[in-house]
Amino acid sequence: MLASAEQGRETTIANLYRLYQERLKAMNAMDFSDLQLQTYLLFEQFPEVLARWQPRARHLLVDEFQDTNRVQYLVVKALAERSGNLCVVGDEDQSIYRWRGADIRNILDFERD
């Protein structure tokens, strides 16, 4: 991110983010986004771990599905892949978390996916 940042505000933000990530690592901590991403990467890189969790998620219900981001969508999809038992509830007209990465296409494309 830092290499592609323009001078000024973007460089400052990129530097702050780098420092934030370093601090999290030093504290052996993760933030909310890290928890989501690392779960997805774990399932993607180690299919045996996903296979161990899928039986525990035989029936999944996701409320406020219009406010899920891409990583959340991929984690839920992976967990439900074996059973196919996934129910989502949401209203595309009530999506309020776009600023946090919510992707309205998750609910709009649900039946097709």
Side-chain angles (χ1 to χ4, degrees):
M1 180 174 171
L2 185 56
S4 65
E6 293 181 21
Q7 288 297 338
R9 183 173 186 266
E10 286 188 17
T11 303
T12 301
I13 291 170
N15 279 319
L16 287 172
Y17 184 75
R18 180 184 52 77
L19 291 170
Y20 173 67
Q21 289 298 313
E22 288 174 5
R23 183 66 182 217
L24 284 173
K25 187 174 183 178
M27 294 172 45
N28 199 26
M30 287 190 259
D31 64 15
F32 184 65
S33 295
D34 291 333
L35 290 170
Q36 294 173 47
L37 180 59
Q38 294 304 317
T39 300
Y40 168 72
L41 293 174
L42 179 68
F43 288 168
E44 172 119 327
Q45 295 170 7
F46 300 95
E48 67 277 10
V49 174
L50 173 60
R52 210 169 91 210
W53 281 94
Q54 285 173 328
R56 293 177 161 199
R58 287 190 334 226
H59 303 279
L60 293 171
L61 168 65
V62 180
D63 194 12
E64 304 296 343
F65 196 67
Q66 77 276 0
D67 289 325
T68 57
N69 63 37
R70 185 68 179 163
V71 173
Q72 290 169 320
Y73 167 81
L74 292 171
V75 168
V76 168
K77 183 178 179 186
L79 286 170
E81 208 167 46
R82 183 183 287 182
S83 71
N85 294 321
L86 173 60
C87 177
V88 302
V89 179
D91 180 350
E92 66 268 15
D93 292 328
Q94 293 186 18
S95 182
I96 60 172
Y97 286 105
R98 185 171 171 199
W99 60 270
R100 194 179 70 188
D103 189 343
I104 194 70
R105 291 174 296 183
N106 292 345
I107 195 165
L108 297 176
D109 298 340
F110 177 74
E111 285 189 53
R112 185 198 70 214
D113 290 348

